[in-house]
Amino acid sequence: MTILDIRNVSIDFPTSRGVVHAVSDFSLSIPQGRRIGFIGESGSGKTTTALAAMRMLASPGYVSAGEIHLHSLGRTNVLEISDEEMRRVRLKKISYIPQGAMNSLNPVMRIENQIWDGIVAHEGAVEQAELQRRSRAVLASVGLPEHVGSLYPHELSGGMKQRVCIAIGVCLEPDLIIADEPTSALDVITQRQVMQTLRDVQGKIGAGLILIGHDMGLMAQSVDDLAVMRLGKLVEFGPVRQILENPQQAYTRELISSVPLVGGESFIQSTPEVLRGPPGPLLQFESVTKRYGALTALHPLSFTLDGEVPKIISVVGQSGSGKSTMGSLMLGFTPPTGGRVLFRGQDINRLSAAEQLGFRKDVQAVFQDPYACFNPFYRVDHALKFPFRRFGLAQSQAHVQSAMEEACHAVGLDPALVLRRYPHQLSGGQRQRLIVARALMLSPKLLIADEPVSMVDASLRATILKNIHDLKDKHGISILYITHDLATAYHVSDFVMVLYHGHVVEAGPPKDVIGAPQHPYTRLLIDSIPWPDVSRDWGAAEDGQRGLDALSDADVARPALRGTIPGFDLTVGA
Amino acid sequence: MGIIPRDYLANRLVTLLLTVFIAATLIWIIPRLSPIDPAEIALGRMAAGAGSVANSEAILAQLRAQLGIDQPLAVQYGKYLWGVLQFDFGLSTASFPTPVSVLIANALPWTLGLMLISLIITFVIGNLLGAFMVWEHTPRLWKVVIPAAMVFTSIPPILSGLLLMWIFAAKLQWFPLTGAYGLTVEPGWTWTFAQSVLYHGFLPALSIVVVTFGFWALGMRGLMIGVQGEDYTTLAKAKGLRPRYILYKYMIRNAILPQITAFALKIGLLIAGQVLVERIFAYNGMGKLLYDAILNQDFPVIQGVSFVIILMTAVSVFLVDLVYPFIDPRIRHGS
């Protein structure tokens, strides 16, 4: 039985530069209880199409043609009903689970109130005891304990907040759930937990599901049918197995092959001739620890990274594992609680002002959010020029220009197209590549890349990682790659450290650590990766938590050290 | 949440007292940097009244002794601080020998009444209008009228006061021209007196509201635009909540938070901002007291009024600090 019919829908966004056709002639029927994935790059119209069914298009977008029928309303076109009728459809008939679970809950309202107000808005006054009972039941159905109801959003972790959003989305048992990249901000273990929870409750209430995303692996593990979208058009539609195993369109094949896989074909071409630096230790940790109050973010750790042959060292782990703390210790943003961080033999927390300037030039960073890294007031070339001048590298106006152009070419951008633009005129991928270019212009010795590709489209990740890999080979820059994505760490790095609660639990060359993990925690991480292979079992919602609970203190204290590579010595413990 | 931890309370109280102490000291230092001798001003005033003054040197010395400015600075400062603790700012030089504290005690209730009422009205109206400028369900006409009304914000209060006086007091004669209450009314806790006070306070309050609501409206507009783009507002809409509920419980409830801090800061500043309004309406409040004191170079009164302004600002900031964790659960006492 069909629950929602999208017929020949076109969506336009009138702008000052003419009309943008965000979606054109899109048709799709959603049967009851079926899970349908909408996959495509950012801007392909997948979210826009789904939001049109809820009549929640961002202004000034509007449906310029077509009809959307919701069958439980008696085949009415939802585009024609009144605002008040539409309001009653939302949550009751079609619910929405948003992308940014971090900010999707009202920060000044308790969780239970945010479940109750939805119930009351559709059912009128409901007795307090009844509300209480229902919010508890729905929280329990997404695996959250009772007391969560009386907490405020900031007291929950990202995964818990996302599960609250699912609880809100299913509390009125709608016909259709639209989940917009519900797990894109979560690490693999939490992702599996949240996604499988969503599937379980969706199956229980028999609702249809539209899952919007760009991760082919997640789709393979989560949906029945897949709709591939590109530039506002439906490129291909069919059962997920058929699309994965026998894609008809070139674009679909491209999407599938762009996913880096553990053990799969490498997307990196290494140059035989690697640019060498001067010998001697570049970065050293001497029994470094970091505590925040009672919480130990990083347990004693020592390593020496030699600068002669540049290397990429990956640090992997879940959110809260201490990997970003490690990054900020290396950048000198936060001093260690114990031990010393040395750059070329000098304690970076005891540098004179002049030495600090040199240190800042030599150690550059690329952060996660390419949207937050530019001052929106300036054109992007300002962000490139400014540090170049500040560090006294600019010889003349022409020199600055040529350095910028060279850096743009190195990351595969056309300087004529990007340099004179404002940040908001560029895509996330372009911005992130500019950040890499900016770092490159200063010819640093060390680059700290903290989740550099987690916010860009899957199809662009490989390209940006190639750029970063080139920094190592062609420019002799050593790189610390901090990530929760094991597949990319597997391909780009020379050495991998797996972090859990501030402990290194497994370390060694990636082919060993990620390819054939020994530590139970690393194995849990690998098992949590959604594989773009329908036959592979992804496990259940509880597997992640069960795996974490099974980790004993002894497991954590006994790291699996899987061999060494020349130029990087690691000692775990004091 | 819950009750306020004692450590936090003590910490805030110390900050409050320290702020007041530093402010009191500055108020004492600043006039002493000026070359003007208050005794000479008082003498000059006597001379102006009597034509000439005999024994001017002796009288000057006597005045200095009376004002306490013949003593060493340290002693003066000590006496001053001791006085401040008892709200004793010495004697007014202009209305000699009335104590400053008496002048303030007479003026303060009028200003507090006028000020708090007009500030609260402005805060409510300004924030609501600011929110309506952003809300998607505001009737179109309102969206045109509200920004147009912002024009009033650019009128100086002195002009808006005169304009309101001209329209409502002189032409329409709905309200009295000046004064805080009717000349024939006996002050006291009576209904007639209260009526008279409200009747007289209406125009001054209105002139303050008209020129200051724009501050809140524009600030609120900016905050509301931010909140409107938040994911929780989108989810609230996707939950099918009623538009009015979203406006109050999701949008205004979050956008108002920084405005509350601004409200506390405004309380102190408003005495200063009200000076001209009180002057025009001959309203015997703190503003008029300060105005007259500046004209007459009446330093003790200026000191006293300044101290009251600072004290009020510091106390309201202190109160907001205590209350804030209850209105924003993300802020915790002591962290």
Side-chain angles (χ1 to χ4, degrees), chain B residues 173-188:
Chain B
Q173 303 210 336
W174 290 355
F175 292 100
L177 260 178
T178 57
Y181 54 92
L183 293 172
T184 53
V185 183
E186 183 75 17

Side-chain angles (χ1 to χ4, degrees), chain A residues 158-216:
Chain A
M160 289 166 93
K161 275 189 234 182
Q162 191 63 73
R163 279 189 277 168
V164 169
C165 288
I166 295 175
I168 291 173
V170 300
C171 69
L172 295 181
E173 310 205 342
D175 298 342
L176 175 68
I177 301 167
I178 297 172
D180 190 355
E181 304 203 19
T183 60
S184 61
L186 307 174
D187 58 66
V188 280
I189 292 180
T190 319
Q191 178 184 52
R192 181 168 69 170
Q193 214 166 21
V194 167
M195 201 57 230
Q196 299 294 53
T197 303
L198 175 59
R199 276 181 52 149
D200 290 349
V201 284
Q202 171 261 339
K204 217 173 285 167
I205 64 175
L209 173 72
I210 293 179
L211 177 68
I212 299 165
H214 59 237
D215 182 342
M216 200 50 100

Side-chain angles (χ1 to χ4, degrees), chain B residues 108-153:
Chain B
L108 194 58
W110 294 109
T111 292
L112 278 183
L114 178 63
M115 185 183 83
L116 278 178
I117 288 168
S118 52
L119 184 58
I120 290 167
I121 294 173
T122 321
F123 185 78
V124 172
I125 293 179
N127 281 308
L128 275 178
L129 291 184
F132 283 134
M133 276 199 270
V134 177
W135 193 39
E136 57 178 330
H137 296 280
T138 308
R140 206 161 282 201
L141 180 68
W142 279 51
K143 288 210 173 177
V144 179
V145 171
I146 299 171
M150 291 295 146
V151 171
F152 289 111
T153 307

Side-chain angles (χ1 to χ4, degrees), chain A residues 226-290:
Chain A
L226 198 55
V228 182
M229 289 192 73
R230 183 176 190 233
L231 302 173
K233 290 197 177 67
L234 185 62
V235 176
E236 192 165 355
F237 178 75
V240 68
R241 179 183 289 274
Q242 180 197 315
I243 287 192
L244 276 169
E245 290 171 3
N246 188 17
Q248 299 300 308
Q249 301 291 324
Y251 179 71
T252 313
R253 282 195 289 275
E254 210 177 292
L255 270 186
I256 296 170
S257 64
S258 70
V259 184
L261 294 179
V262 172
E265 212 174 298
S266 178
F267 56 90
I268 302 282
Q269 295 93 35
S270 277
T271 23
E273 269 306 295
V274 177
L275 192 72
R276 281 169 182 259
L282 188 66
L283 183 74
Q284 285 167 283
F285 265 38
E286 285 183 350
S287 309
V288 170
T289 56
K290 181 70 192 176

Side-chain angles (χ1 to χ4, degrees), chain A residues 54-56 84 87 90-91 94 96 98 100 103-109 113-115 117-118 120-122 152 154 165 168, chain B residues 1 137 230-243 245 249-251 253-254 257 326-332:
Chain A
M54 300 189 79
R55 286 228 325 244
M56 285 199 32
E84 174 59 19
R87 180 185 77 72
R90 295 177 186 144
L91 195 68
I94 308 176
Y96 178 69
N103 308 313
S104 288
L105 296 169
N106 186 347
V108 297
M109 210 187 254
N113 287 93
Q114 304 194 43
I115 298 173
D117 65 9
V120 170
H122 294 276
Y152 285 98
H154 71 276
C165 288
I168 291 173
Chain B
M1 291 299 291
H137 296 280
E230 288 285 350
D231 294 334
Y232 54 77
T233 311
T234 311
L235 185 63
K237 196 177 164 192
K239 278 160 79 179
L241 302 180
R242 287 171 212 280
Y245 180 86
K249 292 282 185 157
Y250 281 73
M251 300 176 77
R253 179 66 179 76
N254 278 288
L257 296 172
F326 295 101
I327 53 177
D328 187 347
R330 286 164 295 181
I331 313 285
R332 248 188 279 165

Side-chain angles (χ1 to χ4, degrees), chain A residues 341-360:
Chain A
V341 181
L342 307 177
F343 182 73
R344 290 186 156 159
Q346 274 185 302
D347 188 338
I348 62 167
N349 292 296
R350 293 171 190 276
L351 297 177
S352 68
E355 288 168 337
Q356 237 180 32
L357 200 63
F359 170 72
R360 286 274 165 254

Side-chain angles (χ1 to χ4, degrees), chain A residues 400-413 415 437 440-441 475:
Chain A
V400 176
Q401 191 60 31
S402 69
M404 282 198 298
E405 287 175 6
E406 196 185 315
C408 283
H409 285 304
V411 294
L413 289 174
L440 175 62
M441 279 175 72
H475 302 271

